[in-house]
Amino acid sequence: MDSMPRTFRLYEELEKAEHAKLSDQSVSYGLDKGDDKSFTSWNGTIIGPPGTNFDNRIYMLTITCDANYPSKAPSFKFNSKINIPSVNQSNGVVTNNFKMFSQWNSTYTLEALLIGLKNEMIANKKLAQPADGDMY
Protein backbone atom coordinates (compact mmCIF):
# COMPACT_ATOMS: atom_id res chain seq x y z
CA MET A 1 0.00 0.00 0.00
CA ASP A 2 1.33 3.43 -0.90
CA SER A 3 1.81 5.90 1.91
CA MET A 4 0.30 8.81 -0.02
CA PRO A 5 -3.09 8.99 -1.79
CA ARG A 6 -2.87 9.03 -5.61
CA THR A 7 -4.09 12.62 -6.03
CA PHE A 8 -1.64 13.95 -3.44
CA ARG A 9 1.20 12.09 -5.08
CA LEU A 10 0.31 13.39 -8.56
CA TYR A 11 -0.26 16.91 -7.27
CA GLU A 12 3.23 16.79 -5.74
CA GLU A 13 4.67 15.62 -9.08
CA LEU A 14 2.81 18.39 -10.91
CA GLU A 15 4.10 21.04 -8.50
CA LYS A 16 7.66 19.83 -9.01
CA ALA A 17 7.28 20.01 -12.81
CA GLU A 18 5.55 23.41 -12.84
CA HIS A 19 8.15 25.02 -10.60
CA ALA A 20 11.10 23.74 -12.66
CA LYS A 21 12.42 21.65 -9.80
CA LEU A 22 13.20 18.66 -12.00
CA SER A 23 16.68 17.23 -11.61
CA ASP A 24 17.10 16.79 -15.39
CA GLN A 25 16.23 19.82 -17.53
CA SER A 26 16.08 17.71 -20.71
CA VAL A 27 12.76 16.16 -19.60
CA SER A 28 9.49 17.84 -18.72
CA TYR A 29 5.86 16.95 -18.13
CA GLY A 30 2.56 18.50 -17.19
CA LEU A 31 -1.17 17.95 -17.27
CA ASP A 32 -2.75 17.76 -20.72
CA LYS A 33 -5.53 20.06 -19.48
CA GLY A 34 -4.69 22.37 -16.59
CA ASP A 35 -8.09 21.87 -14.95
CA ASP A 36 -7.90 18.03 -14.93
CA LYS A 37 -8.70 17.36 -11.26
CA SER A 38 -8.36 13.61 -11.84
CA PHE A 39 -4.65 14.01 -12.74
CA THR A 40 -5.12 11.34 -15.44
CA SER A 41 -3.90 12.76 -18.78
CA TRP A 42 -0.39 14.19 -19.03
CA ASN A 43 2.06 15.29 -21.71
CA GLY A 44 5.76 14.64 -21.53
CA THR A 45 8.77 15.74 -23.54
CA ILE A 46 12.30 14.46 -23.83
CA ILE A 47 15.01 16.47 -25.56
CA GLY A 48 17.20 14.05 -27.49
CA PRO A 49 20.54 13.50 -25.75
CA PRO A 50 23.59 15.17 -27.37
CA GLY A 51 26.01 12.91 -29.25
CA THR A 52 23.27 10.41 -30.16
CA ASN A 53 21.02 9.86 -33.18
CA PHE A 54 18.31 11.55 -31.06
CA ASP A 55 20.27 14.83 -30.75
CA ASN A 56 18.48 18.10 -31.65
CA ARG A 57 15.06 16.43 -31.54
CA ILE A 58 12.16 16.92 -29.17
CA TYR A 59 10.16 13.80 -28.41
CA MET A 60 6.56 14.25 -27.30
CA LEU A 61 4.68 11.68 -25.25
CA THR A 62 1.19 11.09 -23.91
CA ILE A 63 1.14 9.79 -20.33
CA THR A 64 -1.91 8.25 -18.64
CA CYS A 65 -2.01 7.75 -14.88
CA ASP A 66 -5.06 5.61 -14.24
CA ALA A 67 -6.77 5.11 -10.88
CA ASN A 68 -4.17 2.49 -9.88
CA TYR A 69 -1.13 4.79 -10.14
CA PRO A 70 1.34 4.70 -8.37
CA SER A 71 0.75 1.08 -7.32
CA LYS A 72 0.62 0.30 -11.08
CA ALA A 73 2.78 1.88 -13.77
CA PRO A 74 1.30 4.67 -15.89
CA SER A 75 1.04 4.15 -19.64
CA PHE A 76 3.46 6.06 -21.87
CA LYS A 77 3.02 6.56 -25.61
CA PHE A 78 5.42 8.40 -27.86
CA ASN A 79 3.64 10.72 -30.30
CA SER A 80 6.96 11.37 -32.05
CA LYS A 81 8.28 8.35 -33.94
CA ILE A 82 11.28 6.79 -32.22
CA ASN A 83 13.27 3.60 -32.59
CA ILE A 84 14.28 2.17 -29.20
CA PRO A 85 13.77 -1.42 -27.97
CA SER A 86 11.05 -0.59 -25.42
CA VAL A 87 8.72 1.17 -27.90
CA ASN A 88 6.20 -0.63 -30.10
CA GLN A 89 7.16 0.55 -33.59
CA SER A 90 3.61 0.43 -34.95
CA ASN A 91 1.93 2.67 -32.34
CA GLY A 92 4.57 4.32 -30.10
CA VAL A 93 3.45 2.59 -26.90
CA VAL A 94 6.19 1.99 -24.33
CA THR A 95 6.09 -1.76 -23.59
CA ASN A 96 7.19 -3.92 -20.68
CA ASN A 97 10.56 -4.21 -22.45
CA PHE A 98 11.17 -0.91 -20.62
CA LYS A 99 12.94 -2.14 -17.48
CA MET A 100 11.22 0.40 -15.22
CA PHE A 101 7.81 -0.92 -16.31
CA SER A 102 8.74 -4.61 -16.10
CA GLN A 103 10.26 -4.06 -12.64
CA TRP A 104 7.70 -1.47 -11.51
CA ASN A 105 8.22 0.20 -8.15
CA SER A 106 5.61 2.61 -6.77
CA THR A 107 8.35 5.05 -5.77
CA TYR A 108 9.09 5.73 -9.46
CA THR A 109 7.93 9.19 -10.56
CA LEU A 110 6.97 10.53 -13.98
CA GLU A 111 10.29 12.38 -14.01
CA ALA A 112 12.22 9.18 -13.23
CA LEU A 113 10.40 7.34 -16.04
CA LEU A 114 11.18 10.08 -18.57
CA ILE A 115 14.84 10.03 -17.49
CA GLY A 116 14.77 6.24 -17.80
CA LEU A 117 13.56 6.54 -21.40
CA LYS A 118 16.23 9.17 -22.10
CA ASN A 119 18.84 6.75 -20.70
CA GLU A 120 17.54 4.08 -23.07
CA MET A 121 18.11 6.54 -25.92
CA ILE A 122 21.70 7.00 -24.73
CA ALA A 123 22.19 3.23 -24.48
CA ASN A 124 20.92 2.87 -28.08
CA LYS A 125 22.50 6.07 -29.39
CA LYS A 126 23.51 4.64 -32.78
CA LEU A 127 20.13 3.11 -33.72
CA ALA A 128 18.75 4.49 -36.98
CA GLN A 129 15.81 6.84 -36.31
CA PRO A 130 12.71 7.80 -38.29
CA ALA A 131 12.76 11.20 -39.95
CA ASP A 132 12.59 14.08 -37.49
CA GLY A 133 8.97 15.21 -37.13
CA ASP A 134 7.41 11.85 -38.07
CA MET A 135 4.46 11.08 -35.79
CA TYR A 136 2.52 7.95 -34.82
Side-chain angles (χ1 to χ4, degrees), residues 55-114:
D55 197 0
N56 291 320
R57 295 184 181 201
I58 297 175
Y59 292 89
M60 293 171 282
L61 300 93
T62 301
I63 302 166
T64 305
C65 296
D66 72 13
N68 297 313
Y69 178 83
S71 52
K72 180 179 152 268
S75 62
F76 274 51
K77 178 187 179 299
F78 277 86
N79 300 319
S80 312
K81 284 203 170 181
I82 187 167
N83 179 26
I84 52 177
S86 67
V87 174
N88 179 321
Q89 293 304 297
S90 65
N91 61 14
V93 171
V94 178
T95 68
N96 277 339
N97 290 342
F98 180 42
K99 188 182 267 178
M100 292 178 80
F101 278 179
S102 65
Q103 299 172 2
W104 179 248
N105 182 321
S106 64
T107 63
Y108 292 161
T109 61
L110 299 179
E111 177 188 14
L113 293 166
L114 289 166

